Amino acid sequence: MSDSTEAMGERPVRIAFFDVDETLTDSKSMFSFLEFHLADPDRYRAAASELTLAAQAGVPREETNRAYYRSYTGMEQAAVAENGRRWFARERQRDGFLHQEVVSELRRLQAEGYHVALVSGSFRACLDPIAEHLGADHMLCSEPEVVAGRYTGEVRTAMIGEAKATAARALMDRSGARPEECVAYGDHASDLPLLTCVGGAGVVGDDPVLAEHADQLGWIRLPRTAGPAAVAQGTAAADPTTHSSASSPATSPAPSTPSAPSTSSTEEPTHATR
């Protein structure tokens, strides 16, 4: 923003960046939606278990994120997007899906003139309905490759970790926003690059890395997402055998997914969504 523009009395652009999963919502949208879209317990169990085992083996977050999108290989983008709207219509009826204290913070910032950007390792099929509901101005997310209207299984951008900060800086630069006048919110240590690339931040939940930074830097602290819903979703993603399949049918045929052994671990495959 130029000095002359400020001299004319125009308000400088300010952006509030929000992580989505377990920050604005109580679930891991990628896994909740994959189960809904596949509408096949066996395929969902195989896909989620494969990602869980990869996370447990220490596969980098970027790689597990890319592996997730191979579940959509060959599917029509439009059909997946339509199922995303059906998924959101179902989820928004569930108590606790939206983290109301964080949504209230988002609404406060909107009222103060901030632009809102959602930043997530998830993709537009899940995120567009959430963004529309919240009135978000920008979407910074993973971008699966699409050719001739179908997903190829590859990913052009994996919005994980440092990539979130890189995308946020690029948006601030394009918008003329000063980083010191922008804010960001997240719940996991992998959100730290995003939170530290702006002037103020909010921490959702009790991640020890973020809590330490919040104490040192005076960041806002907000409670974690609703316990029962978040725990149930995390357990389902980690151990699909414990979770019943959604009833909505998929609108395009699901490709075969290589089977992976189920796991009884309660460790969540957060690598794919962070």
Side-chain angles (χ1 to χ4, degrees):
M1 183 67 64
S2 67
D3 291 340
S4 60
T5 300
E6 291 186 10
M8 290 188 292
E10 294 184 17
R11 173 177 285 183
V13 174
R14 296 177 296 172
I15 303 174
F17 298 92
F18 284 85
D19 172 56
V20 177
D21 291 353
E22 297 185 304
T23 296
L24 279 167
T25 72
D26 74 344
S27 65
K28 290 177 171 48
S29 60
M30 295 165 67
F31 291 93
S32 175
F33 173 67
L34 180 62
E35 184 198 23
F36 179 90
H37 181 66
L38 292 179
D40 183 319
D42 291 334
R43 283 192 174 129
Y44 174 73
R45 183 181 299 112
S49 294
E50 182 178 12
L51 292 166
T52 298
L53 292 176
Q56 292 172 338
V59 175
R61 291 181 177 89
E62 292 80 359
E63 292 305 312
T64 52
N65 184 266
R66 291 178 183 279
Y68 168 85
Y69 291 107
R70 288 196 284 273
S71 299
Y72 298 93
T73 302
M75 294 186 184
E76 293 182 1
Q77 182 184 30
V80 176
E82 178 58 30
N83 250 7
R85 296 187 180 281
R86 294 192 182 109
W87 167 81
F88 176 71
R90 183 195 71 175
E91 290 296 283
R92 67 173 293 194
Q93 300 304 316
R94 178 169 59 76
D95 289 342
F97 172 64
L98 291 174
H99 188 338
Q100 290 304 321
E101 292 186 63
V102 182
V103 171
S104 294
E105 184 73 0
L106 181 149
R107 296 300 188 203
R108 178 184 69 81
L109 291 165
Q110 285 177 319
E112 293 180 7
Y114 281 80
H115 294 194
V116 169
L118 303 189
V119 192
S120 176
S122 191
F123 69 134
R124 292 179 182 274
C126 307
L127 298 173
D128 278 347
I130 298 173
E132 291 172 12
H133 179 73
L134 295 174
D137 303 283
H138 306 282
M139 180 74 73
L140 307 176
C141 64
S142 293
E143 297 283 1
E145 182 181 67
V146 176
V147 174
R150 294 181 180 271
Y151 290 110
T152 68
E154 300 301 320
V155 180
R156 292 189 287 120
T157 302
M159 195 60 63
I160 300 292
E162 186 62 43
K164 290 185 175 182
T166 299
R169 292 189 191 99
L171 177 58
M172 288 186 285
D173 185 60
R174 293 195 305 272
S175 304
R178 292 174 173 167
E180 63 269 21
E181 295 178 348
C182 296
V183 295
Y185 295 78
D187 72 294
H188 187 264
S190 61
D191 294 320
L192 189 59
L194 174 65
L195 272 56
T196 54
C197 79
V198 293
V203 173
V204 179
D206 52 9
D207 180 277
V209 173
L210 295 190
E212 181 179 357
H213 281 77
D215 292 341
Q216 294 175 351
L217 301 174
W219 290 347
I220 295 170
R221 296 289 302 273
L222 294 165
R224 64 174 296 175
T225 54
V231 170
Q233 177 61 28
T235 301
D239 186 0
T241 61
T242 67
H243 194 54
S244 61
S245 175
S247 59
S248 175
T251 57
S252 61
S256 60
T257 305
S259 61
S262 63
T263 173
S264 60
S265 168
T266 57
E267 179 182 347
E268 301 171 15
T270 56
H271 286 51
T273 61
R274 299 295 183 187

